[in-house]
């Protein structure tokens, strides 16, 4: 198992926006200048890599595959904890083709000793990886989104597989189609989240576990900037170019922000967190220091 913060990204060689499976995706905007868009995407990706590296991650770059543009979002490929990977099952046919190449990528990580086991979910349920199953290191449990993409039952399968609590949160809107679009636990125990993305029951779950002083409420503007979709390591945070509101909020709480222009990927409904997957998450490192509300 890995013993340093290691993060997987996928090279955007085959990236484009050619279909629409979430309300942010804009194939027409891409089609106006595909070459320029692709060039910008390559540059954005390099900038993201640099920001991750500067934040303290070892960055592992996997290849994409032709005809599978959304492979650049490996957060959806698997859930990884304690050296165990559970491969995703995608809801939409446009992304189901990613399951085979991602299985090969994880098999090679296993062969290198970075991952101990690679498994699949039972048939008949959808689960779109760490985008819908987010490890909360300060509380020692997962938060799982369900509704638009992942199935409710997937949360129970994850809990059984990893032997960890999974708190399931129903996503109430198509704009927040993955949990990582509207929910981000941080190292200090704070949770950055967009309340209107959740129904009453999910909000009760969040409020029961996260005291008010640790809740950072994102605005609609923050959501549109894909800023809730952030990558955090200790006090380091990598995200898309953000809003004055979040800049101030993060500075006040002692985080150092690295902002990257990820607009070519926002055109597909993604930000920094979706473009990465942590491979070294370790449940025993949970700093059970955050008291419940
Ligand atoms: N176009 C991709 C999709 O709709 C974007 C995925 C972004 N990933 C995420 N974890 N939010 O599936």
């Amino acid at each position: 198992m890995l013993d340093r913060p290691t993060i997987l990204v996928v090279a955007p060689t085959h990236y484009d926006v050619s279909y629409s499976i979430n309300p942010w995706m804009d194939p027409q905007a891409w089609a106006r200048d595909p070459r320029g868009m692709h060039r910008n995407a390559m540059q954005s990706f390099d900038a993201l890599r640099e920001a991750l590296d500067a934040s303290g991650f070892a960055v592992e770059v996997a290849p994409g595959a032709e005809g599978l543009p959304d492979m650049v979002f490996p957060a959806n490929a698997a859930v990884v904890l304690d050296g165990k990977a559970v491969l995703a099952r995608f809801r939409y046919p446009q992304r189901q083709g990613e399951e085979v190449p991602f299985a090969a990528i994880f098999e090679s990580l296993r062969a290198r000793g970075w991952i101990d086991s690679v498994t699949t979910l039972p048939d008949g349920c959808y689960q779109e990886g760490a985008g819908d199953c987010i490890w909360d290191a300060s509380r020692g449990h997962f938060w799982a989104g369900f509704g638009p993409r992942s199935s409710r039952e997937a949360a129970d399968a994850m809990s059984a597989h990893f032997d960890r609590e999974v708190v399931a949160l129903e996503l109430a809107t198509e704009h927040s189609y993955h949990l990582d679009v509207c929910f981000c636990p941080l190292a200090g125990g704070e949770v950055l989240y967009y309340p209107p993305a959740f129904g009453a029951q999910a909000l009760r779950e969040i409020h029961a576990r996260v005291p008010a002083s640790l809740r950072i409420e994102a605005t609609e503007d923050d959501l549109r900037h894909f800023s809730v979709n952030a990558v955090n390591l200790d006090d380091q945070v990598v995200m898309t170019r953000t809003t004055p509101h979040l800049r101030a909020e993060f500075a006040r709480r002692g985080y150092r922000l690295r902002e990257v222009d990820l607009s070519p990927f926002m055109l597909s409904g993604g930000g920094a967190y979706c473009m990465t997957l942590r491979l070294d998450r370790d449940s025993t490192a949970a700093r059970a220091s955050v008291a419940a509300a």
Side-chain angles (χ1 to χ4, degrees):
M1 227 187 89
L2 292 160
D3 58 2
R4 64 166 294 199
T6 305
I7 206 157
L8 179 73
V9 295
V10 173
T13 324
H14 302 287
Y15 175 68
D16 65 20
V17 184
S18 48
Y19 54 76
S20 180
I21 54 172
N22 74 57
W24 308 95
M25 289 183 86
D26 193 346
Q28 269 128 26
W30 184 276
R32 279 197 281 277
D33 178 19
R35 279 164 169 275
M37 290 281 180
H38 193 262
R39 198 173 45 242
N40 292 345
M42 299 296 279
Q43 276 166 8
S44 280
F45 177 79
D46 288 341
L48 175 66
R49 239 175 107 167
E50 273 162 36
L52 292 168
D53 179 79
S55 302
F57 288 107
V59 183
E60 172 67 12
V61 186
E66 202 177 339
L68 298 171
D70 281 342
M71 276 188 81
V72 293
F73 302 113
N76 298 125
V79 178
V80 185
L81 182 71
D82 295 334
K84 305 199 278 186
V86 178
L87 298 174
R89 281 187 193 280
F90 288 92
R91 180 172 294 267
Y92 287 105
Q94 288 92 333
R95 296 201 66 182
Q96 284 167 353
E98 297 177 32
E99 291 174 17
V100 168
F102 273 126
I105 289 168
F106 278 92
E107 200 39 56
S108 77
L109 295 174
R110 199 191 58 76
R112 282 151 75 184
W114 288 23
I115 300 271
D116 303 323
S117 72
V118 183
T119 49
T120 47
L121 279 168
D123 277 343
C125 82
Y126 300 109
Q127 203 290 322
E128 298 201 352
D132 260 342
C133 194
I134 303 178
W135 180 247
D136 186 329
S138 47
R139 293 179 183 79
H141 69 75
F142 283 110
W143 300 92
F146 70 95
R149 297 292 180 91
S150 302
S151 323
R152 170 69 185 80
E153 312 84 74
D156 300 326
M158 289 299 172
S159 176
H161 186 77
F162 291 105
D163 194 20
R164 287 286 167 270
E165 187 187 3
V166 177
V167 179
L169 303 174
E170 184 165 18
L171 301 171
T173 70
E174 283 297 322
H175 275 92
S176 294
Y177 60 96
H178 282 137
L179 183 61
D180 65 3
V181 174
C182 57
F183 189 91
C184 181
L186 299 166
E190 303 89 342
V191 170
L192 170 63
Y193 74 121
Y194 180 60
F198 300 96
Q201 174 62 27
L203 286 175
R204 269 194 298 276
E205 296 280 9
I206 296 168
H207 294 172
R209 287 173 168 80
V210 186
S213 61
L214 293 178
R215 287 180 226 144
I216 308 175
E217 296 198 357
T219 65
E220 198 188 334
D221 196 31
D222 301 334
L223 191 85
R224 261 192 286 110
H225 281 74
F226 275 87
S227 295
V228 186
N229 197 260
V231 179
N232 168 228
L233 179 62
D234 303 324
D235 63 341
Q236 309 286 308
V237 178
V238 178
M239 64 164 67
T240 51
R241 292 258 159 80
T242 193
T243 60
H245 166 239
L246 283 186
R247 268 183 210 126
E249 193 64 46
F250 275 88
R252 187 170 79 75
R253 293 176 188 261
Y255 288 96
R256 179 188 189 310
L257 273 193
R258 284 195 174 77
E259 298 180 37
V260 183
D261 176 7
L262 294 175
S263 45
F265 300 100
M266 289 160 67
L267 219 51
S268 189
Y273 178 93
C274 319
M275 296 182 68
T276 65
L277 179 64
R278 277 292 287 275
L279 300 175
D280 61 293
R281 289 288 197 190
D282 172 3
S283 67
T284 62
R287 279 154 244 154
S289 57
V290 180

